[in-house]
Amino acid sequence: YLAVRAGVDADQENQNIALGQLLPSLSVSGNYGRSTADRKIGDAPGESFNYDNYSYSLNLRQPIYRKYNFALYEQAKAQGEAADARLNQAGNELLVRLTSAYLEALFADDQLRLLEAQKAATRAQLAAAQKGMVAGNGTRIDLDEAQARFDMIEAQEIELGNMQQHTRRVLGVLVNREVMELAKLDLNRFNLLPPLPRDVSAWIDIVEASNAEYQGILAQRKAAEQEVEKAVAGHYPTLDLVANTGKSGNDNLSTLNRFGNTEYDTTSYGVQLTVPLFAGGQVSATSRQARAKLEQLTQQTEEMRRNLSVQTRREYDNIIQGIARIRALERAEISGLQTVVSAKKGVEAGVRSTLDVLQVEQQYFTVLRDLFQARYSYLIAGIKLKALA
């Protein structure tokens, strides 16, 4: 983001650079020299001369009509708009990236915590199966299944531990410091609200009017239109106001006399007109090239407009469907917990096995994991929709 901001600051100066080509230019030039000469005519005694050569002038040029420079200035303004849009887009991307990294780190914590709870429950089932074998009312299948499930959870625990560290490092890169503890999701303040406005078409209209990336490519298209004007300007004349004033003393042997050096004070002003006649077809070729690039950018603009519509609908649907999914998973959490309790009672009554308990516990923890993920997906969908708009 900071790199983009520095680049935008640099691009914004293009407008001042282009404006400078429309404003007056003023310059001072001069030179100075010392001359020594010996002159001899016939039998007359020789003469020696020492004299100065100098000139200095103040020069002014004010463009009156330069189509190329006018187009260049308008192009620079459009490029400035594109730069502003690029900075806004970078800000949105940073927000989405930071939020995603934070929620991914939270989800990694949640998965590891759930796995630890599942490990504890499986350890209890393994102990129960071992006691059953000793007491003679258990089966080898129950014991082997519990042991296999416990070993698998330990392997998953190592993998999730690595994932947790990785998500912490990704987040740490963004904030430039080591991340240890994270504030968890506060379910008491977690409100499932649909997007406002409720109509997805209204969101699409907002995106087309305000999306930073789309506004940027529209500004680039305006700049491309001015590139065509710059190319066509090669066929147009230019008109400048020019003026200069100066002083000079440029003697030579033929002008030297007893009265001393000859000095000149000069002032001139007027207009300078340049009319292009033929440039070997270069101007026409450049114009065709600029028009082709403008058409290319026009089609890219239309492509982006259509893609933004798809992205907006996708994130809008992700929010709506996310609300329904979260509510369904919350119901599944309650029923899943009840199923676990019932399965354990069934084991005590002799109508269910340890394998049955392990399976319903696995389903219950899967529901919890999916519920955590659904909540984070709902949050990031809301951030992405707002970033698009």
Side-chain angles (χ1 to χ4, degrees), residues 98-366:
L98 179 61
T99 306
S100 298
Y102 192 95
L103 296 182
E104 286 174 5
L106 281 184
F107 185 48
D109 290 353
D110 291 336
Q111 291 185 88
L112 193 59
R113 188 168 63 254
L114 287 174
L115 197 65
E116 290 171 352
Q118 188 177 359
K119 182 179 179 180
T122 305
R123 183 186 290 109
Q125 294 301 320
L126 178 60
Q130 291 171 340
K131 289 180 180 179
M133 285 287 294
V134 172
N137 58 359
T139 66
R140 187 68 193 181
I141 294 177
D142 286 344
L143 180 60
D144 291 344
E145 183 65 30
Q147 184 65 56
R149 186 65 58 88
F150 185 81
D151 294 340
M152 184 182 65
I153 289 175
E154 285 193 325
Q156 292 176 338
E157 189 176 26
I158 296 173
E159 180 183 3
L160 284 176
N162 290 333
M163 181 183 299
Q164 183 189 47
Q165 294 301 316
H166 174 70
T167 58
R168 285 289 203 283
R169 286 191 291 267
V170 171
L171 187 58
V173 167
L174 286 170
V175 299
N176 197 32
R177 63 180 176 84
E178 187 177 3
V179 177
M180 302 300 294
E181 296 297 326
L182 296 176
K184 295 178 175 56
L185 191 65
D186 185 357
L187 294 180
N188 293 324
R189 299 171 58 191
F190 185 78
N191 298 318
L192 296 175
L193 300 175
L196 292 175
R198 297 292 181 89
D199 185 7
V200 67
S201 298
W203 278 99
I204 293 175
D205 292 339
I206 294 172
V207 168
E208 290 185 4
S210 306
N211 178 264
E213 189 176 8
Y214 187 59
Q215 296 305 311
I217 199 170
L218 287 177
Q220 292 175 28
R221 189 182 181 280
K222 288 168 60 177
E225 291 173 349
Q226 295 304 318
E227 189 66 27
V228 174
E229 294 298 311
K230 285 167 56 181
V232 173
H235 288 305
Y236 284 73
T238 62
L239 184 65
D240 295 342
L241 171 67
V242 292
N244 64 74
T245 181
K247 188 178 186 66
S248 64
N250 296 306
D251 284 329
N252 54 59
L253 289 177
S254 63
T255 61
L256 289 173
N257 56 69
R258 66 180 185 277
F259 300 109
N261 293 341
T262 304
E263 296 183 339
Y264 302 89
D265 292 316
T266 58
T267 300
S268 65
Y269 51 88
V271 292
Q272 178 178 319
L273 176 68
T274 303
V275 181
L277 297 179
F278 181 65
Q282 175 183 346
V283 175
S284 298
T286 304
S287 300
R288 292 193 299 269
Q289 182 186 60
R291 289 191 177 96
K293 289 184 176 180
L294 174 60
E295 176 61 22
Q296 178 188 28
L297 203 53
T298 299
Q299 297 304 326
Q300 290 173 347
T301 302
E302 175 61 16
E303 179 187 19
M304 180 178 290
R305 187 189 68 81
R306 299 181 188 184
N307 288 338
L308 283 173
S309 175
V310 174
Q311 293 176 39
T312 303
R313 291 182 183 275
R314 181 183 63 192
E315 300 305 337
Y316 183 91
D317 291 343
N318 284 342
I319 296 175
I320 299 299
Q321 295 168 7
I323 293 174
R325 177 172 169 78
I326 290 171
R327 287 172 175 166
L329 287 170
E330 287 174 344
R331 294 192 296 270
E333 177 189 9
I334 297 173
S335 59
L337 180 59
Q338 183 59 46
T339 302
V340 171
V341 173
S342 299
K344 290 180 178 179
K345 290 181 178 179
V347 172
E348 295 174 357
V351 296
R352 301 293 291 271
S353 66
T354 301
L355 179 59
D356 294 330
V357 176
L358 291 174
Q359 288 177 339
V360 296
E361 284 183 339
Q362 176 65 37
Q363 293 172 354
Y364 173 66
F365 285 114
T366 299

Side-chain angles (χ1 to χ4, degrees), residues 1 4-5 7-13 15 76-92 210-217 219-220:
Y1 175 77
V4 171
R5 190 170 69 181
V8 168
D9 290 341
D11 290 346
Q12 292 289 6
E13 294 302 325
Q15 185 172 342
K77 289 199 296 184
Q79 290 171 341
E81 295 174 7
D84 287 336
R86 192 166 68 251
L87 182 61
N88 291 335
Q89 176 67 14
N92 288 337
S210 306
N211 178 264
E213 189 176 8
Y214 187 59
Q215 296 305 311
I217 199 170
Q220 292 175 28

